[in-house]
Amino acid sequence: MRRLHELPAPICGRFDLLEALAGYADRVGAQVRDPASNVAHYLSYAAAAWRISGAAERALAILHHDLHGSNIIESGRGLVLIDWECAAVSDPLLDIACILAYHESARPYASFLLRHSGLEEITPRQLAASVWLFDLHTYLWYRERRMRLSPTDAELAAEHRLSMRLPRTLEDWRSGAS
């Protein structure tokens, strides 16, 4: 991650997470008018989470933005990241948030990931806010996607897990817990 994030960030490919979240919320809005939906509630906290994450103070970096096991392969030169479809230029902490959001079992190793990514100054609260934002982004991505395509059982299960996790992780960064 450190080597990727140290590459010069191009002008193109800038990713505004708050804008993306608002866009998803607009597109799924007609589908989530029921009182049980928390989309509007979550969106109201997104700007605060972005501020708390400290993203505006960090230099923009190239992000893979889809870091999970099937996007990492071993080659003769070492590990290689593949599937750059979601790559963007934004806050480098979002790549760490991606790993921790996709792999909850990696959360005890967050300080290791941060240290080896050159982000050792990140506080637990900043990280919690960033992970929550990544979870919200992924949740809204699933919600919007299922308006266009029939979801698989695995996608529905992932969306459900995120819907259950979002309230807990929202409270984590709002209360300052790690």
Side-chain angles (χ1 to χ4, degrees), residues 39-121:
V39 171
H41 173 74
Y42 291 148
L43 199 57
S44 71
Y45 287 108
W50 186 253
R51 253 187 336 278
I52 288 167
S53 77
E57 288 90 49
R58 280 184 291 282
L60 296 175
I62 298 171
L63 309 183
H64 184 276
H65 213 192
D66 194 21
L67 294 165
H68 55 81
S70 63
N71 283 342
I72 303 171
I73 60 171
E74 192 165 349
S75 76
R77 297 179 323 175
L79 296 177
V80 177
L81 292 172
I82 62 169
D83 188 8
W84 289 85
E85 173 187 357
C86 296
V89 174
S90 191
D91 176 24
L93 185 55
L94 287 175
D95 264 347
I96 303 302
C98 172
I99 293 168
L100 300 177
Y102 285 171
H103 307 284
E104 284 190 84
S105 62
R107 290 185 182 193
Y109 306 99
S111 62
F112 175 84
L113 290 167
L114 290 167
R115 188 171 55 254
H116 288 281
S117 297
L119 296 168
E120 51 275 324
E121 77 284 353

Side-chain angles (χ1 to χ4, degrees), residues 17 21 38 41-50 97 101 107 126-138 162 165-174:
L17 180 60
L21 293 173
N38 288 318
H41 173 74
Y42 291 148
L43 199 57
S44 71
Y45 287 108
W50 186 253
R107 290 185 182 193
Q126 287 175 307
L127 182 60
S130 191
V131 170
W132 181 80
L133 283 163
F134 195 90
D135 278 346
L136 179 59
H137 179 259
T138 306
L162 286 163
R165 189 166 68 200
L166 279 166
R168 178 180 38 109
T169 56
L170 171 65
E171 231 7 80
D172 284 351
W173 67 261
R174 287 187 65 221

Side-chain angles (χ1 to χ4, degrees), residues 122-164:
I122 300 298
T123 68
R125 189 168 188 226
Q126 287 175 307
L127 182 60
S130 191
V131 170
W132 181 80
L133 283 163
F134 195 90
D135 278 346
L136 179 59
H137 179 259
T138 306
Y139 172 72
L140 291 173
W141 179 86
Y142 278 119
R143 292 292 305 256
E144 191 271 340
R145 187 175 190 276
R146 97 171 128 98
M147 292 171 59
R148 297 177 285 107
L149 302 167
S150 295
T152 66
D153 289 342
E155 290 168 341
L156 288 172
E159 180 185 326
H160 178 73
R161 277 192 306 276
L162 286 163
S163 75
M164 302 307 289

